[in-house]
Amino acid sequence: MDDAVSPQATLAKISRRLMPLLCTMYLLAYIDRQNVSYAKLEMVDALGMSEAAYGLGASLFFLGYFLFEAPANMVLARVGARVWFTRIMLTWGLITIALGYTQSPTMFYVLRFLLGVAEAGFFPGVLYLLTLWYPQAHRARMVGLFMIASAFANAVGSLIGGALLELDGLAGLAGWQWVFVATGLPPVLLAPVVLWKLPSTPGEAKWLSAPEKTWLANTLAAEAPAGDPGSAWRALTDPRVLLLALLYFAMPLGAYGLSYWLPTIVKSFGASNIQNGIINVIPWILVAVALWAVPRHAARHGTSRWHVAGPMLIAAVFFLASVILPGAAVKFACLCIAAAAIFSAQPVFWSIPQGLLRGAHAAAGLAVINSVGNLGGFAAQNAVPMVRDYTGSTLAPMAMLAGVLAVGGLAFLIVLPRLGVGQSSNLRLNPAIQKS
């Protein structure tokens, strides 16, 4: 029966049906993460907050995300992605709208924490979902395609964020309030579509034929890691999971440190709100190109540790160059290259744990890696304004990000071969750390 199935046509059908909805969801999620960087341009003065105090409030998103991400993915594995993603979108949209009516720093802190709780499990949930639909060789490209939505979200968010600030006074709301209200509505409106359209597993997909479902199930079973997949809770102590989580920390720190602070850097060049939004489209176009190209190169030539470490080291060099080299245009060009580099490493990185883990163990393990790693976002949104306040330089925080990424890139070069990632796509774990 499998002989009558075209693998290429089957996977193309899955991508047409699945990826547009997932990418739209991530686009909205990333806009709702990025909006705080534009609201900051006015909200700091409106609430009488320092840069460091605002950075703390913005970063509390990641603390809520960290505490609830693994439990959220365990629930997802039980109730299915369709129901759980619908709940995630509805709650994060409502909380984002509520942020537009923030009355005090304390309220801002509480709502940012609750936003992290609401969104917990979304990104690793998608990574887990992709393991149910795609063979290993295709996952890095699918993660790259999925993450391209984040690049477009940053580009669209840049245009929207700058424009919404200009609505100051409309309907009695300040510009920074419009940033939250207008970006919180779309996920609320999309939630019913997710409940209607998203199948949790291939078995629920009415648009796949029985032979196609059989081929996919057999293919995924044949390449599943050998041995007991382990329980969801055991993922919390799996040395492979913990090691990858620690390694991943530097990526979100660099990525969120840049995306959170970039509008402030561009404003320091003398750009208006509208100009700021337009200028900030440029780096995210380059990020989208890199997210398309690097995973395809890895799939074509075999996943190498250099597909992960190389972009990190390149980003470190250009972060540092943005501080040292003269001229606003040159500094911005360096940051554009750094942005493309740091984001392009992530799809290839995520193909590694997707190949090592399976079942409920994979759902929990991916969540642990993402939640621990995303504490880098928490660190970035505190450290970046602290460095700015200490040095008085808007660009000095980029040197700090350069140092972290350099250390992280070198660590990947040393550690990834122990996970079987060298000059091929072999993802078998080194026996020295295989026990879980």
Side-chain angles (χ1 to χ4, degrees), residues 409-426:
L410 293 174
F412 270 107
L413 286 178
I414 296 169
V415 174
L416 284 187
R418 293 177 61 80
L419 293 172
V421 182
Q423 296 303 320
S424 72
S425 58
N426 174 21

Side-chain angles (χ1 to χ4, degrees), residues 131 225 238 240-241 352-359 361-362 365-366 369:
T131 68
D238 187 333
R240 302 169 298 181
V241 169
I352 297 168
Q354 284 179 322
L356 289 171
L357 310 171
R358 62 188 174 102
H361 196 68
L366 291 167
I369 294 168

Side-chain angles (χ1 to χ4, degrees), residues 105-394:
T106 300
M107 184 177 177
F108 178 58
Y109 294 162
V110 171
L111 288 174
R112 283 294 295 178
F113 177 81
L114 291 178
L115 185 63
V117 173
E119 195 184 319
F122 175 65
F123 184 79
V126 171
L127 296 178
Y128 171 65
L129 186 67
L130 294 179
T131 68
L132 306 179
W133 289 88
Y134 289 97
Q136 172 65 26
H138 297 266
R139 290 175 195 161
R141 283 182 292 170
M142 291 304 104
V143 175
L145 177 61
F146 175 65
M147 290 188 66
I148 285 175
S150 70
F152 282 113
N154 276 292
V156 172
S158 296
L159 293 173
I160 292 175
L164 289 174
L165 287 173
E166 297 297 320
L167 297 180
D168 188 61
L170 180 65
L173 298 178
W176 66 267
Q177 292 179 289
W178 276 112
V179 170
F180 289 121
V181 172
T183 57
L185 283 172
V188 173
L189 298 176
L190 188 63
V193 179
V194 175
L195 186 63
W196 177 40
K197 285 288 190 179
L198 181 66
S200 294
T201 65
E204 295 180 8
K206 297 179 181 179
W207 35 266
L208 282 180
S209 67
E212 288 171 334
K213 293 177 182 178
T214 300
W215 170 80
L216 183 59
N218 291 341
T219 300
L220 295 177
E223 64 180 25
D228 179 11
S231 69
W233 289 107
R234 285 178 63 190
L236 303 179
T237 57
D238 187 333
R240 302 169 298 181
V241 169
L242 298 179
L243 180 59
L244 287 170
L246 291 174
L247 289 172
Y248 181 55
F249 181 89
M251 288 190 196
L253 192 149
Y256 284 113
L258 177 63
S259 60
Y260 166 73
W261 199 244
L262 196 54
T264 301
I265 292 175
V266 173
K267 184 178 181 180
S268 74
F269 295 156
S272 68
N273 288 334
I274 293 293
Q275 291 170 336
N276 198 331
I278 294 173
I279 292 170
N280 270 295
V281 171
I282 299 171
W284 304 115
I285 292 175
L286 296 179
V287 168
V289 172
L291 284 169
W292 179 86
V294 173
R296 279 161 175 74
H297 187 275
R300 187 176 299 113
H301 299 284
T303 300
S304 163
R305 56 183 173 167
W306 286 102
H307 286 107
V308 179
M312 295 180 71
L313 295 173
I314 291 171
V317 169
F318 281 94
F319 270 131
L320 188 59
S322 73
V323 181
I324 297 173
L325 297 180
V330 173
K331 292 177 181 296
F332 183 71
C334 289
L335 293 174
C336 289
I337 297 172
I342 188 57
F343 277 87
S344 69
Q346 296 186 45
V348 183
F349 167 81
W350 282 115
S351 70
I352 297 168
Q354 284 179 322
L356 289 171
L357 310 171
R358 62 188 174 102
H361 196 68
L366 291 167
V368 169
I369 294 168
N370 194 57
S371 62
V372 174
N374 266 326
L375 288 178
F378 177 84
Q381 291 188 346
N382 282 283
V384 167
M386 287 176 64
V387 173
R388 162 64 177 83
D389 287 347
Y390 180 77
T391 63
S393 168
T394 304

